[in-house]
Amino acid sequence: MKTIGIICEYNPFHNGHAHQLHTLATKYPDVLRICIMSGSFVQRGEPALFSKFDRARWAILGGADVVIELPTLYSLGSAQLFGTGAIRMVKALSIDTLSFGSETTNLNTLIGIAKRMDCESTQNELRNYLNEGMSYGTAFRKALGSEMLSTPNALLGLEYIRAGLKYHPDLAYIPIQRTSDHHNQTINQELPSGTALRQLITTATPLDMYSALQVAIPTPILDDMTHRITTGDYVDYSRYHDMVHMLSRRISASELERFVDFTEGIEHLWLKAAQQPTWEAAINQIKSKRYTYVRLQRMGAYLTLGITKDLINVAMDEGPQYARLLAFNDRGRQWLRTEHDIPVIQKWAKASTQLNNLGQTMHHIDTLATDIQALCFNNEAKRLGHADYTYTPQYIK
């Protein structure tokens, strides 16, 4: 074992993430820890709370050696798309081991279930349950007969193994026990949920927030994160929601059909709901067992970023076309000298000249995602565009 990959979002980085990295560093001190991290948009279908540049720095301070950006086309996807894109990047970067947090660490059980995911009988049952109006996660859980899929991290872990069996059969796995509740809305433990932290940062008073962050955030990161919060260098989601709502009102049903997940006539319900006074009211009007809140959020992001079904199909066939370097330390600096199957991008302005058509499209969407996230920051001074072009990968000694 030479490298351990960690597929992550760090939205935001907290003690649970530091625990995973510390565990790996303790057990495998000579092995490089490489994070494949979502960029400006995350899998829940909206901009990350903090910029990818801040989150990458915190990852290095929290125990990572290298942070690579997962292109937006994959970071926004369902569990299968997210997992497939990330694992194909792990393969392209010659990473030999993957670690992930999971509610179960029984690797044999996880691999056994993952092997059944693409069986014809499982896929037939999955389609039948989907046709009954179930969400993807619920339908897959019933098709596999496994309650394990009721937890999002276990589902992602299974998707990583499923993609690994197809694209990286030699990949080894190190599941780390996850002890916090993914959806817990309160911070009452040292290993909190990202949901609770995002809610705290966006709603709590400064005094209450700082007291809670002292418990939940690693000490090397606490002051830096607190400074970003006090200067308004984080997303105001009401700005983003207004953006999606505006775009929903100005588009036609035929145009909506082009975007990912707009199927079965949902575009007509979408346009009707767009007449509601807010995006929250609109999404609540459409929400159903089949179209969950997160799926609708992703659909809004696909609309906002212009991500079509045709583009996603090509991205699934071809995989990531580059690895964008965000941050590294001394150990990671040595790794950067090795050759990989895809280019490791350090200078964004020069990247498009190294890329094919798909790579250039990924590059454009990653740039757009960062620009749209910036428009949503609380602090007006932080809303400048094209931050990708002025950013140099952070070398943290």
Side-chain angles (χ1 to χ4, degrees), residues 190-216:
E190 286 193 16
L191 304 182
S193 73
T195 300
L197 277 171
R198 290 189 296 273
Q199 182 175 336
L200 172 82
I201 291 166
T202 54
T203 62
T205 64
L207 182 60
D208 289 343
M209 179 188 62
Y210 188 72
S211 297
L213 289 182
Q214 285 181 304
V215 176

Side-chain angles (χ1 to χ4, degrees), residues 155-170:
L155 176 57
L156 272 176
L158 288 170
E159 290 291 359
Y160 297 153
I161 297 171
R162 179 190 190 184
L165 292 170
K166 181 175 182 179
Y167 296 105
H168 197 348
D170 295 328

Side-chain angles (χ1 to χ4, degrees), residues 1-7 19-29 31-34 87 90 95-108 110-111 153 157 160-161 170-178:
M1 184 193 309
K2 296 181 179 179
T3 50
I4 297 176
I6 301 102
I7 301 166
H19 169 72
Q20 179 188 21
L21 290 167
H22 176 74
T23 299
L24 294 172
T26 301
K27 290 185 176 181
Y28 314 101
V31 180
L32 205 68
R33 298 175 293 281
I34 302 173
I87 290 298
V90 165
I95 296 170
D96 53 49
T97 305
L98 180 75
S99 177
F100 56 90
S102 177
E103 286 76 6
T104 178
T105 58
N106 188 323
L107 188 55
N108 289 333
L110 289 169
I111 292 174
N153 287 280
Y160 297 153
I161 297 171
D170 295 328
L171 187 64
Y173 303 95
I174 305 173
I176 303 290
Q177 182 73 50
R178 183 184 175 94

Side-chain angles (χ1 to χ4, degrees), residues 9-12 42 44 46-49 182 187 193-203 237:
E9 294 190 317
Y10 295 157
N11 186 33
V42 292
R44 54 185 281 113
E46 61 189 14
L49 183 60
H182 180 81
I187 296 181
S193 73
T195 300
L197 277 171
R198 290 189 296 273
Q199 182 175 336
L200 172 82
I201 291 166
T202 54
T203 62
Y237 285 102

